[in-house]
Amino acid sequence: MSGEAALPRDFEPTNLPTERLLEVLGPLNATAEAHRRHLGAVVDALRARDISWAAIGEKLGVSRQTAWERFG
């Protein structure tokens, strides 16, 4: 991360000062957004291959309906 501090594996927000939490908020959000986009692209590719919402939901640990509502 260019100039941004990486989070330790044992990251525990309740043990950190407010300033540190504010410092990591932006990078965490950027990472979550990138993962969200990648996940959506994978789901789109699977749907293009006629993979069912039931199969996608199963792998995501959610119902077919929930998968469809989230990505459909």
Side-chain angles (χ1 to χ4, degrees):
M1 291 189 261
S2 59
E4 297 167 351
L7 295 174
R9 290 196 183 278
D10 59 350
F11 178 67
E12 179 52 55
T14 58
N15 294 335
L16 294 174
T18 300
E19 294 304 320
R20 177 68 174 134
L21 293 175
L22 288 169
E23 180 182 300
V24 300
L25 195 58
L28 282 173
N29 185 59
T31 300
E33 287 299 312
H35 284 284
R36 183 189 58 76
R37 286 189 305 274
H38 291 146
L39 182 58
V42 169
V43 170
D44 289 345
L46 289 168
R47 291 295 297 149
R49 296 176 186 186
D50 293 324
I51 302 302
S52 71
W53 285 114
I56 292 168
E58 180 181 344
K59 291 297 182 181
L60 292 173
V62 300
S63 70
R64 172 196 59 79
Q65 181 70 25
T66 299
W68 178 82
E69 288 173 355
R70 184 172 175 192
F71 299 101

